[in-house]
Amino acid sequence: QSLASILNNPHHSGSDSSWSSWIFSADPSSSIDAAAPPASKSLLPEADFRAYVESISEPYSRFVDVQEHFFLEEDGPSTSSSSSGEMGLKGGEGLAACLREIPNMFFDEDFALERGSTFQAACPFSTIPQNIMLQERLTQYLDVVEVHLVKEISARSESFFEAQKQLEDLNERMLEACQQMKELKSTVRLLENDLVGSATQVHTLSRQRENVLALHDKLKLMTYVNQAVSALRILVATADCGGALDVIDELQQLLEGDELAGMHCFRHLGDQLAASTDSVNNMLAADFVRIAIHNSKDLDSSVIISSLNMKDKLYSMSVEVQVNEEEETNLRELLVPFVIGLLRTSKLPAVLKVYKDTLTTDVKSAIKTVVAECLPILLNRSSGDSPATEKQTEIDVSGLNLAAKLRSLSPDAFVQLLVAVFKIIQTRLVRAAKIRQLVEQIVSGLQGTSAAEAVAAAFASGAAAVAAAVAAAEAAEEVEPQGSLAQIVTDSDPLNLRGRGVQLSSISKQFRADVLRENTEALWAACDAAHGRWVKLLGVRAPVHPKLRLQEFVSIHDVTQEFIAATEKVGGRLGYSIRGTLQSQSKSFVDSQHILRITKITAVLDQETWVAVDIPDEFQEIVDKVFIFDDSLENGEAESHSEANGECQPVENGGSIAPHDEKLETDSSTVTTVDKKLREKSIKTIRIGQIGYHTVNSGLILLKMIAEYVELSNALPALAAEVVHRVAEILKVFNSRACQLVLGAGALQVVSGLKSITAKHLALASQTITFFHVLIPEMKKVLSVFIPDPRKALLLNELDRIAQDYKVHREEIHTKLVQIMKERLQVHLRILPQVVEGWNKAAPDDADAQPSQFARTLTKEVGVLHRVLSPLLLEDDLRSIFSRVVLIFHTQLTETFSSLEVSTPQ
């Protein structure tokens, strides 16, 4: 229904003018009066015009408001009313006005007179006259509605008849159009039969022939594919991996193209090819691993037997990867077809991972077998060395677990076990190194050989397979972002190239790099597994090793060091875990040995009687062989240039240091100088260069310990710095404890039970301290051989500070000896006033040519001290001490005599 047809009235001549007058009227009042009647909703679908109504709703509302205001201003209310009456309330306004005269309750939806309340409201009267009036009013209401309805219907009758007329015209035109279409179809049918029929038949037959030829080709292709699939099954069954891969490649190319598209019979061909490829890969992987990991059980048995029969010293067993040329050629010929096949399927990195796991398992299993076979034999040998009977020992050992059995092995037996493990691992790692070398040669292209082209083609095929797998994984990710995608990525994208958009050449390079990396990591994993098992063997015996003797621990350390060097040379990288374990156990051994020595030297010092001992030849050999001295020592002691780190403070007023030696009681009126050579004959000394030193028993034991520390440093070069710390600590302990026992008079309360500390004790302590003070610079030279240069200065400075402490300790001992004579002088000076008074009272003629008792006694005591010290101390020390004594005597005597009045010749 068109808008024009609805608004047309039955009189055709006046319809256009009335429509145009309503739209284009210049008179506002006339445009309002001639407003178009509202269209019926049944004729105008609301949904079709909703957008238009919404777009003009706001402008139209403004237009209506303007027109209403304009109308009110021009005509006023009376004019509007009269105009409305003259138009007869057009557009439904008259009907609405009349309806307003009727009460609203008659228009309620639920109006029903049978309801009591409604009836009472509509008919409130009870008398007959009132009811007659009500009936007349209701009749009037009805007449008003009927009259105005008739007026409204008559006002719209023209539009209704106009619309009906247009519908009839439209029906006639549609009938004419149908008749024309029927005639056209008949004409076309005649033309097709007479002109186009034969040509169309020729074209149809040509298309049929082309379809038949294409069908014949498809059938031939289907036959070929079917035969290829049958041949593929036979090739897979006969383990002809190369031929099977050729067939798979051809079928895969057909499958990736359009030839087999839409063939329902080959819908499972892709799955069949994937299954065949997996079967070929499994066979290639199994054969590769079988060839790479040689069955060496017989060789293992011979190695175990030779290791258990080894009685000689452990020689160097460094691994040299030397491949026999003939053996290498045979092994390469065996590996080439499998490597090429795995390259074609891009599975070589994955197979190398399997090989890595298998090799690691084989190494662990071999070590386990060696331990299981050697342990009972070595336990029996260890039990044969013990005093218990063999039967009793076997009963005791049988109840132990593996760790306890390993700990019960003697050091020599454990070394034999390690040697057996070493040799077993050596055979496997040498073969693994051969495999790595050969795989690298094959992957590098085997230039100059007949297989070079095959390797290049295999690499290209493998790279293409990886690229296809990457593309498939990316496509699957869009469809299925979770679930099976993880498996797709893991299996099909070994190079992790998804999403990179890389080219085929880049994928080929990455593929080659991945193969080489996995090939190297297989050998690394085998070395790591061997290191891990070796670490476990050492870890089980960790509580035992610190208690071993030095040579026993060094033998274990040396074989472990040889093992580390050999495996690192084969694997090409450092074994941090096993080096850390060896370092840790070596440090524990050093710590344990150090604690034992600290405890021992402390106990020996507590039992020291501070008397000179004869020096056995072995101690002189230690000085001569372990320490190398230069000629400067012949001229005196080597002075340290470092500042003192602290001083050894003696315990003052200990009440135990005797003011004079026991030999001060001997009768001797003169002081004699004993020749140095005679002194050296009386007591044997330990010599450093041309100078001999007296020492006590604890000094010799300390010298022996320091020699052991030097030996420990040479045997364990990696712990040379730790050894320097331990030497410094034991020197500190010796110095401080000796100071407490001698200067601090602690020797009176310890096990030695000295009754007093004599000058001889002080002299021997001084000689012992001086000996080590001279020895410390030579310790620095010997102990610094294996210390890295960055740490050398710091560690050796610590020894310099200790040397300064020893020097301070020696000076304090000398000061104590001087203090003894000072105290004796002060005692004798108390009676000097009485002697002078006797001189003054004596007659001038009573001259006594003899020295006084004061002078004789004092001189005697000085002479005794000199006789005690001169056989023990060096001449320089002796001269230094008595120079200080003479200076004190000179000062004290001068001061005392200057305060006295001496007036006689005496």
Side-chain angles (χ1 to χ4, degrees):
Q1 307 289 343
S2 64
L3 185 61
S5 64
I6 293 175
L7 297 179
N8 285 339
N9 57 35
H11 306 287
H12 180 71
S13 60
S15 61
D16 293 337
S17 61
S18 64
W19 173 252
S20 60
S21 64
W22 178 73
I23 298 178
F24 302 105
S25 175
D27 186 6
S29 62
S30 63
S31 67
I32 294 176
D33 295 339
S40 174
K41 289 185 178 180
S42 62
L43 299 178
L44 290 175
E46 183 179 359
D48 295 344
F49 294 90
R50 182 180 296 112
Y52 171 76
V53 172
E54 290 176 355
S55 64
I56 68 169
S57 59
E58 185 177 355
Y60 178 76
S61 62
R62 289 198 302 270
F63 170 77
V64 172
D65 292 339
V66 170
Q67 294 298 329
E68 288 178 355
H69 286 85
F70 183 83
F71 172 76
L72 292 175
E73 291 176 358
E74 292 293 332
D75 297 336
S78 60
T79 306
S80 176
S81 177
S82 62
S83 177
S84 177
E86 291 175 358
M87 295 299 297
L89 299 176
K90 291 182 179 181
E93 294 179 1
L95 179 60
C98 74
L99 293 180
R100 284 194 292 271
E101 297 177 3
I102 303 172
N104 291 332
M105 71 174 179
F106 292 103
F107 299 100
D108 292 340
E109 293 182 0
D110 57 347
F111 179 80
L113 285 176
E114 62 268 17
R115 189 182 301 152
S117 59
T118 304
F119 184 81
Q120 184 65 31
C123 304
F125 307 110
S126 58
T127 62
I128 293 176
Q130 291 176 342
N131 289 333
I132 292 173
M133 292 176 62
L134 177 61
Q135 187 175 4
E136 291 176 356
R137 187 182 303 170
L138 294 175
T139 302
Q140 182 183 358
Y141 291 162
L142 182 61
D143 293 341
V144 170
V145 172
E146 288 178 353
V147 169
H148 284 85
L149 281 176
V150 171
K151 290 180 180 181
E152 293 296 328
I153 292 172
S154 63
R156 289 169 173 77
S157 60
E158 293 181 2
S159 299
F160 173 76
F161 289 113
E162 181 68 21
Q164 185 177 6
K165 181 180 178 181
Q166 290 191 3
L167 287 175
E168 292 175 355
D169 294 341
L170 178 63
N171 189 25
E172 291 177 359
R173 293 181 181 181
M174 291 177 62
L175 291 175
E176 293 176 359
C178 290
Q179 183 62 30
Q180 293 177 0
M181 291 174 62
K182 183 177 181 181
E183 293 175 357
L184 287 174
K185 286 183 177 181
S186 177
T187 303
V188 170
R189 190 180 299 108
L190 291 175
L191 292 174
E192 287 181 352
N193 293 333
D194 296 340
L195 300 178
V196 186
S198 59
T200 304
Q201 186 178 7
V202 171
H203 180 69
T204 302
L205 292 175
S206 177
R207 291 182 61 186
Q208 287 180 355
R209 181 177 182 277
E210 292 175 357
N211 292 337
V212 170
L213 291 176
L215 178 61
H216 182 260
D217 293 339
K218 290 291 184 183
L219 291 175
K220 289 173 62 178
L221 180 62
M222 292 170 64
T223 303
Y224 171 77
V225 171
N226 190 27
Q227 293 175 353
V229 171
S230 300
L232 178 61
R233 295 193 186 98
I234 296 174
L235 292 173
V236 172
T238 57
D240 188 355
C241 297
L245 289 177
D246 292 337
V247 174
I248 290 173
D249 289 342
E250 294 180 6
L251 293 178
Q252 191 66 37
Q253 291 178 0
L254 292 175
L255 194 61
E256 293 174 355
D258 299 332
E259 292 86 349
L260 301 181
M263 291 188 180
H264 188 70
C265 58
F266 294 133
R267 65 188 183 278
H268 300 304
L269 181 59
D271 297 336
Q272 293 175 358
L273 294 180
S276 300
T277 303
D278 292 340
S279 299
V280 172
N281 285 330
N282 292 335
M283 288 187 291
L284 290 172
D287 291 338
F288 177 85
V289 174
R290 176 180 53 80
I291 294 173
I293 301 179
H294 184 65
N295 187 3
S296 56
K297 291 185 178 179
D298 297 337
L299 182 60
D300 292 348
S301 300
S302 63
V303 168
I304 292 173
I305 293 173
S306 63
S307 300
L308 294 178
N309 293 333
M310 183 189 67
K311 295 181 180 180
D312 299 333
K313 181 180 178 181
L314 179 65
Y315 294 99
S316 175
M317 299 187 300
S318 59
V319 178
E320 295 289 342
V321 184
Q322 297 178 351
V323 183
N324 181 273
E325 184 176 354
E326 181 179 359
E327 180 183 357
E328 180 182 356
T329 302
N330 295 333
L331 191 58
R332 183 190 299 112
E333 292 177 353
L334 289 174
L335 286 177
V336 165
F338 301 114
V339 174
I340 291 177
L342 292 171
L343 285 174
R344 293 178 61 180
T345 59
S346 72
K347 295 298 181 182
L348 184 56
V351 172
L352 288 174
K353 289 182 179 179
V354 175
Y355 164 65
K356 175 178 66 176
D357 297 337
T358 307
L359 179 61
T360 302
T361 303
D362 181 63
V363 169
K364 294 178 180 179
S365 177
I367 296 176
K368 184 177 181 181
T369 302
V370 171
V371 173
E373 293 183 5
C374 294
L375 193 57
I377 301 174
L378 295 175
L379 283 173
N380 290 335
R381 290 184 181 179
S382 299
S383 64
D385 297 336
S386 62
T389 62
E390 182 177 354
K391 182 176 180 180
Q392 183 65 33
T393 305
E394 290 179 355
I395 294 175
D396 294 339
V397 171
S398 63
L400 300 177
N401 56 17
L402 179 61
K405 291 179 181 179
L406 288 173
R407 284 192 288 268
S408 63
L409 286 176
S410 65
D412 293 338
F414 184 67
V415 169
Q416 287 183 322
L417 177 63
L418 292 180
V419 171
V421 172
F422 187 1
K423 291 183 177 180
I424 294 297
I425 297 304
Q426 182 182 17
T427 58
R428 281 159 174 77
L429 293 184
V430 168
R431 186 172 184 85
K434 291 180 184 178
I435 297 299
R436 182 185 68 173
Q437 182 180 359
L438 292 176
V439 170
E440 288 178 353
Q441 292 176 359
I442 297 172
V443 170
S444 299
L446 293 177
Q447 300 298 330
T449 64
S450 58
E453 295 182 358
V455 173
F459 255 116
S461 177
V466 172
V470 171
E474 290 178 347
E477 185 178 18
E478 298 178 358
V479 179
E480 187 179 1
Q482 296 178 351
S484 62
L485 177 62
Q487 187 65 28
I488 293 174
V489 174
T490 302
D491 295 342
S492 304
D493 191 13
L495 305 181
N496 193 22
L497 298 172
R498 290 175 53 251
R500 297 187 183 180
V502 292
Q503 301 297 326
L504 185 60
S505 60
S506 177
I507 293 178
S508 179
K509 293 180 181 179
Q510 291 291 333
F511 180 56
R512 184 186 300 271
D514 190 61
V515 170
L516 296 176
R517 175 175 52 81
E518 293 294 341
N519 185 36
T520 303
E521 287 184 356
L523 184 57
W524 288 353
C527 293
D528 291 341
H531 289 170
R533 285 298 184 266
W534 194 285
V535 166
K536 285 188 176 181
L537 291 175
L538 294 179
V540 168
R541 288 178 57 90
V544 179
H545 288 169
K547 303 175 183 178
L548 300 179
R549 294 191 297 271
L550 177 59
Q551 293 303 323
E552 295 173 343
F553 182 81
V554 167
S555 62
I556 296 174
H557 177 274
D558 289 345
V559 70
T560 303
Q561 199 67 39
E562 288 283 350
F563 176 77
I564 293 173
T567 53
E568 287 180 348
K569 185 174 183 179
V570 171
R573 68 172 182 176
L574 296 177
Y576 294 103
S577 62
I578 189 171
R579 284 184 176 274
T581 301
L582 182 61
Q583 184 78 0
S584 175
Q585 291 206 4
S586 300
K587 189 175 183 301
S588 298
F589 176 77
V590 171
D591 291 340
S592 177
Q593 297 296 314
H594 179 65
I595 292 173
L596 292 176
R597 284 170 173 78
I598 289 292
T599 305
K600 180 178 179 181
I601 196 64
T602 303
V604 169
L605 283 170
D606 290 342
Q607 297 175 0
E608 181 61 66
T609 57
W610 300 100
V611 295
V613 295
D614 291 338
I615 309 300
D617 294 337
E618 62 173 308
F619 292 95
Q620 187 62 53
E621 290 178 0
I622 290 175
V623 175
D624 296 337
K625 294 181 180 180
V626 177
F627 304 103
I628 302 175
F629 298 93
D630 51 33
D631 297 337
S632 61
L633 295 176
E634 298 179 2
N635 300 324
E637 301 171 11
E639 298 292 339
S640 175
H641 299 287
S642 301
E643 296 295 333
N645 189 30
E647 295 185 357
C648 182
Q649 300 294 336
V651 180
E652 296 295 342
N653 299 325
S656 55
I657 297 183
H660 54 84
D661 194 272
E662 297 170 355
K663 295 183 179 180
L664 294 179
E665 303 296 334
T666 59
D667 295 331
S668 178
S669 58
T670 60
V671 178
T672 60
T673 301
V674 183
D675 185 71
K676 179 180 179 181
K677 294 183 179 180
L678 296 177
R679 293 202 307 268
E680 290 178 354
K681 291 180 180 179
S682 61
I683 298 178
K684 191 175 181 180
T685 59
I686 185 167
R687 305 185 65 82
I688 297 179
Q690 300 299 323
I691 302 175
Y693 296 89
H694 298 277
T695 184
V696 294
N697 181 56
S698 59
L700 295 179
I701 294 177
L702 178 61
L703 176 63
K704 178 69 173 178
M705 290 181 178
I706 292 176
E708 292 173 351
Y709 278 115
V710 173
E711 185 180 1
L712 185 61
S713 177
N714 295 333
L716 306 175
L719 294 177
E722 297 291 336
V723 173
V724 172
H725 283 300
R726 303 306 184 273
V727 171
E729 184 177 353
I730 199 168
L731 287 173
K732 287 180 181 178
V733 170
F734 183 85
N735 187 39
S736 61
R737 188 57 181 165
C739 180
Q740 294 171 6
L741 293 174
V742 179
L743 285 178
L748 303 181
Q749 286 83 30
V750 294
V751 180
S752 60
L754 295 180
K755 296 180 179 180
S756 62
I757 304 299
T758 64
K760 186 176 182 180
H761 296 153
L762 293 171
L764 287 171
S766 173
Q767 279 278 279
T768 305
I769 294 299
T770 302
F771 170 74
F772 286 106
H773 176 256
V774 175
L775 199 62
I776 286 176
E778 304 309 318
M779 294 182 195
K780 291 168 52 179
K781 297 178 183 178
V782 177
L783 294 175
S784 63
V785 174
F786 300 105
I787 299 177
D789 292 336
R791 300 186 61 187
K792 185 176 295 185
L794 181 63
L795 293 173
L796 298 184
N797 286 340
E798 185 176 1
L799 290 179
D800 290 337
R801 289 191 294 270
I802 293 173
Q804 185 66 20
D805 293 342
Y806 272 69
K807 181 180 179 181
V808 171
H809 187 187
R810 181 189 62 183
E811 295 299 330
E812 290 177 349
I813 294 176
H814 293 174
T815 302
K816 189 63 180 178
L817 292 171
V818 174
Q819 182 68 22
I820 292 174
M821 293 314 302
K822 182 178 179 180
E823 292 175 355
R824 297 308 302 162
L825 175 61
Q826 291 175 351
V827 170
H828 292 295
L829 286 178
R830 296 191 190 115
I831 63 173
L832 184 57
Q834 301 175 3
V835 174
V836 173
E837 184 179 356
W839 291 344
N840 292 335
K841 291 180 179 181
D845 297 335
D846 189 11
D848 188 1
Q850 296 297 326
S852 64
Q853 183 64 32
F854 164 81
R856 288 197 302 269
T857 305
L858 190 58
T859 305
K860 177 183 176 182
E861 292 180 356
V862 173
V864 171
L865 179 63
H866 186 273
R867 286 197 305 273
V868 171
L869 297 182
S870 58
L872 301 176
L873 297 180
L874 300 177
E875 286 189 14
D876 291 342
D877 294 338
L878 197 65
R879 183 179 296 108
S880 173
I881 292 172
F882 280 95
S883 295
R884 293 162 63 184
V885 169
V886 170
L887 181 61
I888 291 174
F889 274 39
H890 175 76
T891 304
Q892 295 288 336
L893 288 173
T894 301
E895 292 178 356
T896 304
F897 271 99
S898 64
S899 63
L900 299 176
E901 294 181 359
V902 182
S903 58
T904 64
Q906 291 177 321

